[in-house]
Amino acid sequence: MKPVKVGICGLGTVGGGTFNVLTNNAKDIARRAGREIIIEQVAMRHPNPDVELGQVKTTEDVADVINNPDIDIVVELIGGYTVAKDVVMGAIENGKHVVTANKALIAVYGTEIFAAAEAKGVSVMYEAAVAGGIPIIKAVREGLAANRINWLAGIINGTGNFILTEMRDKGRDFADVLAEAQALGYAEADPTFDVEGIDAAHKLTILSSIAYGIPLQFEHCYTEGISKIAPEDVEYAEELGYRIKHLGVSSRTEKGIDLRVHPTLIPENRPIAKVDGVLNAVTVNGDAVGDTLYVGAGAGAGPTASAVVADVIDLARTLEAPASTSVNHLAFDSDSIDNLRVLPIEQVETAYYLRIQVQDKTGVLASIATTLSQHDINIEALIQKEPRMENDLAQIIILTHKVEEARMNAAIEAVEKLDSTHGKITRIRVEHLD
């Protein structure tokens, strides 16, 4: 079979890793694909010192790659929305298959991109867009295809997981660990996408569409970051038998699809609670298979390149096959995508962790319990912490049973109005993942 020719757009960390994997593992890749895979051309703004380009043609203009008639597969590794979208749509228009690691592009513009690809009879592969080296998209889209997916939950941003791990293990505060994460290269100079949950929301949007056969709905994903998590919350969670993780959670409910990213208490005995540092992990529950767990490196040149090249190999195996024989972009036939609504966060039901600052006097706990009871909120566990220094406030830590968010919001407002409480109540959602 004739070689498959690849054009790479972007030679940064992931682009360089992809080039090196395709080059260094060329013989094994050819054995798996059944044909040779050749890098025909690379579009880049700056050389990558970790890449030996050899005789590969280079250009500064991505149009040269997408318009190159010799190229079969365009690999988009630029990132962002603008140029990347032009590359992907241009490649599709020219009848070329596409591989991308761009979760933001797929989460926001995936519906448009997949429709264009389907019309042209080409495929867009995006395994590397979620959880780096973990083949989670293939697992959900193909490995679990026999299942009705009930729910999934994931640690899908390594930066946030690193920060929370350091806060737990060493008692450090958020700002201190974030500065270290930036120094180590785990977090960008502007860490907003990582620590405020936007990166994870992109990924959760994609996973949920594949899991439930629903449209990509990033704009409806509830997103909350970890910047307000205090060391004492991490400490008290441990005391209650929980760990705090920045979790993406989605589930299929009778009212619609639950789709949210936020800090979450999970029982310390759950396998995903033990996944620390910069690792990613995703738990998926299917009706036939039960719980499955996928753990690995979620970012970096090697792990992400592994996923990119796996997609290239998949395309190379079936390059001449009719488009109708390929796996559907979102796992389900495009005519059977189900327009289930995504629930607003106010309608989501979870349990809660509440940390309340109060005056250290008799009757405070009783007034808080009464107020919660008036809003039909049941207490599962409670800790009362005496002031650590004179004139300090005492702390009451409560775990509740499941309740709709709107009701919890009303209860928190009422408790904050009590004369004995001070400041805002810290609220973190709780998931038992069962």
Side-chain angles (χ1 to χ4, degrees):
M1 300 176 74
K2 71 174 185 177
V4 171
K5 295 186 177 181
V6 173
I8 299 175
C9 293
L11 204 68
T13 299
V14 176
T18 298
F19 187 101
N20 289 335
V21 169
L22 281 168
T23 303
N24 297 337
N25 298 344
K27 289 184 178 179
D28 281 341
I29 287 170
R31 290 172 60 205
R32 288 191 168 99
R35 58 172 69 185
E36 192 178 3
I37 296 177
I38 297 171
I39 302 172
E40 177 70 13
Q41 192 174 24
V42 173
M44 61 181 187
R45 289 185 177 177
H46 307 287
N48 185 324
D50 297 322
V51 175
E52 291 288 341
L53 288 166
Q55 301 302 309
V56 175
K57 291 181 289 187
T58 64
T59 178
E60 293 185 0
D61 189 351
V62 293
D64 293 339
V65 173
I66 62 178
N67 293 323
N68 187 333
D70 294 328
I71 288 175
D72 303 297
I73 300 170
V74 172
V75 179
E76 182 280 304
L77 300 172
I78 299 168
Y81 296 111
T82 52
V83 176
K85 186 184 178 188
D86 291 341
V87 167
V88 170
M89 296 300 284
I92 291 170
E93 180 61 29
N94 289 340
K96 301 181 189 303
H97 299 284
V98 173
V99 174
T100 181
N102 195 331
K103 63 266 185 180
L105 184 67
I106 297 300
V108 176
Y109 295 110
T111 300
E112 177 185 349
I113 289 168
F114 297 150
E118 189 172 328
K120 278 289 184 177
V122 297
S123 295
V124 176
M125 306 287 278
Y126 53 96
E127 180 65 65
V130 180
I134 306 172
I136 187 62
I137 288 175
K138 185 177 286 292
V140 176
R141 189 172 61 183
E142 300 170 47
L144 300 179
N147 288 258
R148 175 184 171 87
I149 305 299
N150 297 315
W151 57 263
L152 60 86
I155 300 167
I156 43 182
N157 182 274
T159 302
N161 202 35
F162 171 80
I163 291 171
L164 290 173
T165 299
E166 288 289 301
M167 289 179 70
R168 187 193 74 230
D169 290 349
K170 300 176 183 176
R172 301 165 66 188
D173 64 28
F174 170 82
D176 179 38
V177 184
L178 173 59
E180 181 183 351
Q182 290 171 314
L184 292 170
Y186 297 153
E188 301 290 340
D190 179 358
T192 303
F193 266 44
D194 290 328
V195 301
E196 296 303 333
I198 300 168
D199 175 77
H202 286 142
K203 298 169 183 175
L204 183 68
T205 296
I206 296 168
L207 281 179
S208 299
S209 291
I210 297 168
Y212 313 120
I214 60 174
L216 292 153
Q217 299 178 71
F218 170 70
E219 69 277 11
H220 294 141
C221 182
Y222 175 80
T223 308
E224 182 181 316
I226 60 172
S227 56
K228 295 179 182 178
I229 298 295
E232 55 262 44
D233 295 318
V234 178
E235 176 188 339
Y236 297 151
E238 289 271 307
E239 190 172 334
L240 288 161
Y242 291 80
R243 291 186 175 179
I244 299 178
K245 294 293 183 182
H246 199 195
L247 219 59
V249 180
S250 76
S251 63
R252 187 200 307 261
T253 76
E254 293 181 358
K255 296 185 291 184
I257 298 296
D258 180 2
L259 188 67
R260 50 197 161 92
V261 173
H262 50 68
T264 311
L265 267 72
I266 52 178
E268 63 184 2
N269 61 355
R270 295 290 184 269
I272 198 171
K274 305 178 192 302
V275 177
D276 290 332
V278 294
L279 291 176
N280 281 199
V282 180
T283 296
V284 184
N285 176 271
D287 65 339
V289 75
D291 292 349
T292 57
L293 176 67
Y294 310 85
V295 181
T304 310
S306 170
V308 170
V309 175
D311 278 348
V312 172
I313 293 170
D314 273 354
L315 286 172
R317 286 170 174 154
T318 59
L319 203 62
E320 287 85 14
S324 60
T325 63
S326 62
V327 179
N328 294 302
H329 288 109
L330 290 177
F332 293 75
D333 184 83
S334 57
D335 292 332
S336 63
I337 295 297
D338 195 342
N339 282 303
L340 295 172
R341 77 184 188 107
V342 173
L343 298 177
I345 191 64
E346 293 78 13
Q347 294 180 19
V348 170
E349 289 188 5
T350 70
Y352 291 86
Y353 161 100
L354 305 175
R355 176 167 59 85
I356 309 167
Q357 299 183 86
V358 300
Q359 295 175 6
D360 185 23
K361 63 181 185 180
T362 305
V364 170
L365 181 57
S367 64
I368 291 172
T370 298
T371 303
L372 293 177
S373 177
Q374 288 170 347
H375 289 83
D376 294 324
I377 295 173
N378 296 318
I379 295 173
E380 179 181 314
L382 183 146
I383 300 174
Q384 186 166 356
K385 295 290 183 179
E386 300 300 322
R388 295 183 176 180
M389 297 179 64
E390 189 176 354
N391 299 323
D392 273 0
L393 295 170
Q395 307 250 20
I396 293 175
I397 298 91
I398 293 173
L399 289 184
T400 76
H401 289 281
K402 276 190 173 185
V403 59
E404 191 175 75
E405 178 112 356
R407 196 190 311 164
M408 177 54 73
N409 290 342
I412 287 175
E413 184 178 352
V415 172
E416 288 177 343
K417 289 179 179 177
L418 296 174
D419 291 339
S420 55
T421 62
H422 286 254
K424 292 292 184 181
I425 293 173
T426 296
R427 173 252 304 276
I428 306 174
R429 297 168 190 85
V430 180
E431 292 292 333
H432 292 92
L433 305 181
D434 52 18

